[in-house]
Amino acid sequence: MYILGLTTLGDAAASLVCDGKLVAAAEEERFSRVKHHSGFPYNALQFCLNQAGIGIGDVEHVSLYWKPWILGRKAAQALKSLAISMDMFRARVDRGVAQVSDSYLGMLKYPRMIRRRYGPSGFRFRYLEHHLCHAASAFLVSPFESAAIFTLDGTGEETTTLFSRGQGTRIQPLKRIKLPHSLGQFYSAVTNLLGFDMFGGDEWKVMGLAAYGEPEYYDFFSNRVLTTNGNYDFRVNIRTLDHHLAKRYQFSDEIIGALGPPRRPGEPISERHQNIASSAQKVLEDVVLHLLEGLHKQTGEESLCLAGGVAFNSVMNGRIINESPFKRVFIQPAAGDAGCSLGAAFLTHNMILKNRRVFEMDHAYWGPSFSNEIRDGAG
Ligand SMILES: [Fe+2]
């Protein structure tokens, strides 16, 4: 039985599972040569079918990594932001309208569009919750029979952080943290504050820069921007640092007063910029370690599975491995949204269709490859 998983906005990807085993998985950017390709993964889907030597008619289930109709929370957040400032409201509404018209409603047309392009098929199409797909991408292909699962990203439909527990083929959500409280959006806002580009996926530059600095602004970030209440929870104060305004390189007077002017793109990097990066990185790490302490207490599990874009932060992951109470950690290599295509397929196979787990992901080489033979241009 073939199951296809799809990610279509940002890091578009396709994954194909046959009888519970991964056959192929690829990001669309490998074919389009456009980094973080956003849109339907036409080429990646075709690649998966080719790898298996099948047509779309052989696929019984197609699962998408998103429930496009959950927009209520985003609309509510946009309205709430009106109480804070008109700029903040506009930054949200502009993006909201663009997303709805260009992307989310388009998802409802996928089943018909796939049949029209790839041929007739009786597949059943499902829309799955984004963070459950992240969770499945880590737990269901991990070596663990049971584990705590922690997924953290910019945002899914409305959830930004999911605490769950996996046992056998089942993933049980325990707690969801929703917009506007997002670890990924916090880090992206700092990325633009430092003159980098969150849309280009520059967060790794902040992580790298952090190593050169001292956490001089730690108290400011932990008291005024990304806070915990000691109850294994966190909050982002969007009045101080707002992700949507940061997208336009707009920052509050409070941020500028505490940290100095934002770095303009291309401006030389100073010690102050290094210290801002170091402070934001350390606050992120400390908050995540605090959250994981709570998850460990709640589940009693010794193993941990991680996914979601923030799980690309390898410095944070190093501290999780060394300092969290978990003894074993499995991190989905495609921790970002591309990995959700894989998660959607396994969530369907194991949790929805209740088939036992027969696959462990012990490498990440599931995409296009080439041989070692190198020929010259005239060859
Ligand atoms: Fe995500």
Side-chain angles (χ1 to χ4, degrees):
M1 178 178 61
Y2 286 100
I3 303 174
L4 193 60
L6 299 175
T7 293
T8 58
L9 295 183
D11 297 330
S15 298
L16 185 67
V17 168
C18 175
D19 297 334
K21 292 180 182 166
L22 189 61
V23 175
E27 290 194 42
E28 187 69 5
E29 67 170 31
R30 303 294 154 158
F31 306 97
S32 70
R33 316 307 294 169
V34 176
K35 266 314 236 186
H36 306 295
H37 186 116
S38 184
F40 193 87
Y42 293 107
N43 297 297
L45 194 164
Q46 187 63 57
F47 166 79
C48 288
L49 296 178
N50 292 349
Q51 283 295 96
I54 62 169
I56 196 73
D58 299 305
V59 175
E60 288 183 45
H61 302 272
V62 180
S63 294
L64 186 72
Y65 78 129
W66 199 272
K67 291 188 168 183
W69 52 86
I70 303 181
L71 289 167
R73 187 92 179 185
K74 281 188 177 162
Q77 285 301 330
L79 277 177
K80 262 192 209 165
S81 68
L82 191 56
I84 302 175
S85 85
M86 192 47 128
D87 274 353
M88 207 180 259
F89 175 69
R90 260 192 224 111
R92 281 168 170 74
V93 170
D94 285 357
R95 183 163 161 77
V97 169
Q99 278 177 337
V100 169
S101 57
D102 296 348
S103 318
Y104 293 150
L105 293 181
M107 290 177 173
L108 301 174
K109 297 178 189 158
Y110 285 166
R112 206 168 47 149
M113 188 270 284
I114 292 171
R115 290 187 176 99
R116 209 167 42 220
R117 179 164 176 132
Y118 297 92
S121 176
F123 62 70
R124 172 155 180 201
F125 197 94
R126 289 181 179 84
Y127 298 89
L128 303 179
E129 186 193 332
H130 185 70
H131 267 264
L132 270 183
C133 292
H134 272 313
S137 79
F139 173 64
L140 292 175
V141 299
S142 77
F144 310 137
E145 183 54 29
S146 79
I149 312 169
F150 185 58
T151 62
L152 58 171
D153 65 3
T155 187
E157 298 88 348
E158 55 180 355
T159 297
T160 68
T161 313
L162 175 69
F163 303 78
S164 52
R165 184 181 193 181
Q167 288 174 299
T169 58
R170 204 163 150 255
I171 296 171
Q172 181 193 4
L174 302 172
K175 183 166 78 170
R176 290 178 170 84
I177 295 176
K178 297 181 179 180
L179 287 173
H181 308 294
S182 161
L183 297 168
Q185 290 193 351
F186 158 74
Y187 210 83
S188 295
V190 174
T191 300
N192 275 23
L193 179 71
L194 287 169
F196 302 120
D197 176 14
M198 64 167 88
F199 291 114
D202 278 354
E203 284 80 354
W204 63 275
K205 295 180 182 173
V206 178
M207 185 186 78
L209 192 61
Y212 294 91
E214 294 297 329
E216 182 187 342
Y217 306 103
Y218 180 88
D219 289 346
F220 171 73
F221 276 111
S222 64
N223 292 326
R224 293 296 307 152
V225 185
L226 177 56
T227 60
T228 63
N229 55 9
N231 196 26
Y232 309 118
D233 207 344
F234 73 88
R235 288 282 176 270
V236 174
N237 182 357
I238 58 171
R239 287 173 189 266
T240 309
L241 183 61
D242 180 51
H243 166 82
H244 293 276
L245 287 177
K247 275 188 251 171
R248 304 166 161 203
Y249 293 93
Q250 292 176 8
F251 299 95
S252 69
D253 292 341
E254 187 181 352
I255 277 280
I256 295 167
L259 306 177
R263 174 177 171 266
R264 288 187 305 278
E267 186 185 323
I269 289 171
S270 68
E271 196 180 317
R272 181 173 65 85
H273 301 135
Q274 293 166 350
N275 291 350
I276 292 171
S278 169
S279 308
Q281 173 71 24
K282 183 165 165 46
V283 171
L284 171 77
E285 293 167 9
D286 288 352
V287 168
V288 165
L289 283 169
H290 174 68
L291 298 175
L292 290 177
E293 206 184 298
L295 183 61
H296 180 258
K297 271 196 181 132
Q298 190 176 4
T299 60
E301 295 287 350
E302 296 196 330
S303 303
L304 172 69
C305 294
L306 288 174
V310 184
F312 278 135
N313 193 309
S314 53
V315 177
M316 175 192 81
N317 294 345
R319 283 195 64 195
I320 291 173
I321 290 165
N322 291 327
E323 297 177 36
S324 84
F326 294 98
K327 291 190 177 142
R328 294 173 291 274
V329 181
F330 177 88
I331 305 165
Q332 165 55 241
D337 285 356
C340 284
S341 65
L342 187 151
F346 279 97
L347 194 65
T348 305
H349 183 77
N350 296 128
M351 195 160 141
I352 296 172
L353 301 174
K354 298 185 168 45
N355 292 300
R356 68 190 182 90
R357 288 163 59 190
V358 292
F359 176 77
E360 192 179 307
M361 188 173 177
D362 54 9
H363 69 80
Y365 305 111
W366 300 95
S369 60
F370 51 88
S371 74
N372 283 334
E373 186 185 327
I374 297 171
R375 299 194 297 176
D376 63 33

